[in-house]
Amino acid sequence: MLDDFMTRAALAGIGVALAAAPLGCFVVWRRMAYFGDATAHAAILGIALSLALDVSIFAGALLVSLLMAWTVTRLSLRGYAIDTLLGVLAHSTLAVGLVVVSFLSGVRIDLMAYLFGDILAVSRADLAIIWGGAALVIALISWRWVPLLITTLNEELAYASGLNPNREKLILTLALGITVAVAIKVVGVLLIVAMLIIPSAAARSLARTPEVMAVVGGVIGMISAVVGLRAAYIFDTPTGPSIVCIASIFFVIFSIIGSVRNKRF
Amino acid sequence: MNLISVEDIAVRYGGNIVLQNVDLDIEQGEIVTVVGPNGSGKTSLLKAIIGAIEPTKGRVTLKRGLKIGYVPQRLNFNPALPITVERFMRLTAKTERHSCVIALEKAGVSELLKEQMSALSGGQFQRVLLAAALLGYPDVLLLDEATQGLDQPGSASFYRQIETVRHDTGCAVLMISHDLHVVMSASDRVICLNGHVCCAGTPAVVASTPEYKALFGDGTDGALALYRHEHDHDHHNNQSANTNEVAL
């Protein structure tokens, strides 16, 4: 079954969608979209370095993403203006990464594959890494689900309940780094945040509890991955962007349904 | 042993000293209110007690196994986070729906169980937060300006509920408040804070100290003097008189 590249691609997309949904909910709730972008953009620098040093691009991307996420978290605790800081870091790491790649002579690199994903080229080994990473992210988020929710609602409330909000935020940082690393192959660094927030945001108008939003987001993400893949095959369009397009269509449809049903949102 | 014991703490933010030489003990079943102008370190004191900030000097000791019920000023979630009142209540206290219903009934808002938190009015919101805090059977309730945004009758009835809770469960209450007239009637002890403890004691004693008058005005009753600045309604004297009556 895994011999078929379309099957492998579909499984890769489903794996990323499953991990992205619960994490994406927190990205939406905690207004971390830009933070996610910075982490994802930094991954291109990680990819450039791993190509230069001839190590696994998963490892390189993971390491640099985590480093980026951790740096931003630390700096924001010290009270830097986070919005500007993220803008500076996100785009400078992306630019530096692209420049470093251009220096790598002798290596033929399809830059587009890293920027927008190359899901059709997912190998069995890639699939194992994607599902391993996705399982880890889902395990982390489900393990800390309630503490993460309390921390998101009110940090003092978390302290009073005997939790350490900084530790919970570190869990999110870690999950984000892993998700970025495994999603590069599927949607590329520029569209990772789209996979995080669009399915979750689409699920918002249908959900009355945080749990339902995460589950529905996962379902929307999976359907988007499979349908997007199919659409890309039929219309000969780039796959990563096609998947995101399908997710966006879900978002528009559900937002309209939601606003008709409930005038407040 | 005291439930909470704060010994000579100092708190700094950057280079600024927010609190210094602060001592505070909370005993079982007492209602203690911290008053003080903006920037006087009231919230920092509360944060130091729950461990959200580390004092630069001195220490905070909580009784072993102390259960804290915390009522925040607000929740900083955005409407993108869907959560019903029931789910919220069962987050911090792992409990059953039945207990949530009882807690909401006591708070007089039993109809809200299925509502979205983001759809509640200010008064409903504070009552839900209080009901949620009480679900864990706390030894001490901490309230951070819990009546901000409530009108006078609203905050008066909120404080009556606190009084009832103390009476029913015997838990101690430490609150930060701006409603000076209610403080004067509903607290056992008042602590007047302005970077340090200016004065402390029973409401009557505190209200008569020169430090308190310097901070809050010097009428016969400083509380009412300040209260007059805030709103100018004809009926408000009656209103506060009523409140005092009921609360006493």
Side-chain angles (χ1 to χ4, degrees), chain A residues 28-102:
Chain A
V28 169
W29 297 333
R30 300 181 60 86
R31 300 186 169 96
M32 288 167 64
Y34 217 9
F35 181 85
D37 257 333
T39 308
H41 289 184
I44 202 80
L45 182 60
I47 291 168
L49 293 176
S50 15
L51 289 171
L53 302 171
D54 198 22
V55 295
S56 147
I57 66 153
F58 278 113
L62 179 64
L63 199 70
V64 176
S65 307
L66 285 178
L67 207 62
M68 177 69 161
W70 183 78
T71 308
V72 174
T73 309
R74 298 294 305 172
L75 288 176
S76 68
L77 287 177
R78 291 197 200 163
Y80 281 83
I82 195 68
D83 190 49
T84 308
L85 186 72
L86 284 174
V88 170
L89 286 174
H91 297 105
S92 43
T93 45
L94 181 63
V96 172
L98 294 175
V99 169
V100 171
V101 169
S102 76

Side-chain angles (χ1 to χ4, degrees), chain B residues 9 23 32 195 208 218:
Chain B
I9 64 164
D23 287 286
V32 179
S208 64
D218 56 357

Side-chain angles (χ1 to χ4, degrees), chain B:
Chain B
M1 187 196 162
N2 295 321
L3 298 179
I4 297 173
S5 176
V6 174
E7 293 165 72
D8 191 26
I9 64 164
V11 171
R12 255 170 221 275
Y13 273 134
N16 300 332
I17 299 170
V18 196
L19 281 177
Q20 56 182 341
N21 308 328
V22 176
D23 287 286
L24 170 69
D25 289 319
I26 305 290
E27 287 167 29
Q28 184 146 13
E30 64 174 347
I31 298 184
V32 179
T33 306
V34 178
V35 296
N38 288 335
S40 60
K42 301 187 298 287
T43 299
S44 299
L45 176 61
L46 217 54
K47 283 186 175 178
I49 289 175
I50 59 175
I53 50 176
E54 194 80 21
T56 41
K57 186 182 155 234
R59 63 178 182 167
V60 175
T61 320
L62 305 182
K63 190 182 166 192
R64 256 183 95 83
L66 183 78
K67 276 187 286 184
I68 296 176
Y70 182 78
V71 182
Q73 216 175 100
R74 60 197 162 85
L75 299 179
N76 48 353
F77 69 90
N78 60 42
L81 172 46
I83 188 162
T84 59
V85 167
E86 180 187 356
R87 186 71 192 96
F88 171 74
M89 294 179 80
R90 293 169 73 172
L91 263 188
T92 43
K94 293 188 178 50
T95 180
E96 298 179 353
R97 172 177 296 182
H98 183 62
S99 318
C100 297
V101 174
I102 292 175
L104 287 175
E105 270 169 7
K106 276 192 192 161
V109 285
S110 54
E111 73 283 2
L112 299 178
L113 190 72
K114 298 283 174 205
E115 285 295 318
Q116 287 286 307
M117 288 294 285
S118 53
L120 304 183
S121 73
Q124 291 173 331
F125 195 76
Q126 290 304 335
R127 281 165 180 275
V128 167
L129 290 183
L130 178 62
L134 291 174
L135 269 183
Y137 301 101
D139 305 305
V140 56
L141 261 184
L142 302 182
L143 294 95
D144 185 4
E145 297 190 23
T147 56
Q148 212 180 43
L150 298 192
D151 58 9
Q152 288 302 329
S155 59
S157 88
F158 187 80
Y159 284 120
R160 274 202 298 280
Q161 206 203 334
I162 302 279
E163 178 74 50
T164 313
V165 164
R166 189 260 300 259
H167 184 263
D168 292 351
T169 69
C171 76
V173 180
L174 173 63
M175 55 187 175
I176 289 176
S177 180
H178 272 139
D179 301 310
L180 292 175
H181 69 295
V182 182
V183 167
M184 289 304 147
S185 61
S187 312
D188 300 319
R189 276 198 296 144
V190 175
I191 290 168
C192 180
L193 200 68
N194 193 16
H196 58 281
V197 178
C198 293
C199 50
T202 61
V205 169
V206 168
S208 64
T209 60
E211 292 90 345
Y212 180 86
K213 284 177 180 166
L215 277 175
F216 294 112
D218 56 357
T220 43
D221 181 336
L224 276 177
L226 184 83
Y227 183 41
R228 265 186 210 111
H229 290 303
E230 290 183 343
H231 319 273
D232 253 311
H233 289 223
D234 250 344
H235 61 265
H236 82 260
N237 279 335
N238 298 334
Q239 189 77 55
S240 64
N242 287 342
T243 322
N244 285 345
E245 223 169 71
V246 179
L248 284 165

